[in-house]
Amino acid sequence: NDNCPNDANKLIAGVCGCGTADTNVDGDAWFDCEEDCINDPLKANPGICGCGTADTDSDTDGVPDCNDQCANDPNKFEPLSCGCGNLETDTDSDGYPDCIDLCPNHAAKHNPGACGCDVVDVDTDGDGTSDCVDNCSLDPNKTEPGICLCGTADDDTDGDGYVDCVDACPNDANKWFGSGVCGCGVSDGDSDG
């Protein structure tokens, strides 16, 4: 009796049915008609990693190695900031893991800046120099007191080499120590001899 009258190669339906050969190209436990990976002897179906790639999970973290960038680290499946094998610990909870946080115990800073980890880099006068290193933290024009101290510019209006705050005649290049007999701006010389 021929149970497959329209199939010259079969008398009975077999596993794959009439019209389909019961072949097993990869020699595994499944006939080709039963599997999607006919050239992979280790898999019948693609699974997560596809035919030809095992769905192995070396670190047993639930992510197969084909999708796990840290296949030997059970705590990670991608390197993130600290890399495979390193935890992303953030001791101060500032959003920067300790491996890249230069101030891992201070939530207000992740970089020491000019003032170090323990001091916030505040610039009260807005001059671009942090108060911790600005000796005139309330004077936006100075970072050091200079001769005239903070709050007063060390200008030399008349160019005589003496800053205005110590120059008795800041607009008279010929007088600086005192106003002389005739005052600032007037020569003390005797023009008629």
Side-chain angles (χ1 to χ4, degrees):
N1 272 345
D2 188 348
N3 290 328
C4 294
N6 296 320
D7 185 341
N9 295 313
K10 292 175 112 179
L11 294 176
I12 57 172
V15 174
C16 297
C18 297
T20 303
D22 290 337
T23 56
N24 185 353
V25 173
D26 56 14
D28 59 10
W30 302 279
F31 287 101
D32 297 345
C33 66
E34 298 177 300
E35 68 174 316
D36 293 326
C37 297
I38 63 171
N39 293 309
D40 184 344
L42 301 176
K43 293 173 100 173
N45 296 304
I48 294 172
C49 298
C51 299
T53 303
D55 290 334
T56 305
D57 182 6
S58 299
D59 57 14
T60 64
D61 63 357
V63 179
D65 295 352
C66 66
N67 292 330
D68 192 338
Q69 294 176 40
C70 295
N72 295 310
D73 182 345
N75 297 308
K76 290 179 162 182
F77 57 89
E78 60 183 340
L80 300 174
S81 296
C82 298
C84 300
N86 299 303
L87 296 175
E88 299 288 318
T89 305
D90 183 5
T91 303
D92 57 14
S93 301
D94 63 355
Y96 293 89
D98 294 352
C99 68
I100 60 170
D101 191 340
L102 299 178
C103 297
N105 296 310
H106 301 278
K109 296 178 92 173
H110 63 275
N111 190 316
C115 300
C117 291
D118 296 329
V119 179
V120 178
D121 289 304
V122 175
D123 180 11
T124 303
D125 58 15
D127 63 359
T129 302
S130 297
D131 290 356
C132 67
V133 294
D134 187 341
N135 290 321
C136 291
S137 61
L138 299 175
D139 183 344
N141 297 312
K142 295 175 102 175
T143 59
E144 294 295 330
I147 295 171
C148 299
L149 304 179
C150 301
T152 303
D154 289 328
D155 293 335
D156 179 11
T157 304
D158 58 16
D160 62 1
Y162 296 94
V163 292
D164 295 351
C165 68
V166 297
D167 190 339
C169 295
N171 294 311
D172 185 342
N174 296 312
K175 296 182 179 179
W176 66 271
F177 184 68
S179 59
V181 176
C182 298
C184 296
V186 178
S187 173
D188 286 335
D190 183 4
S191 61
D192 61 4

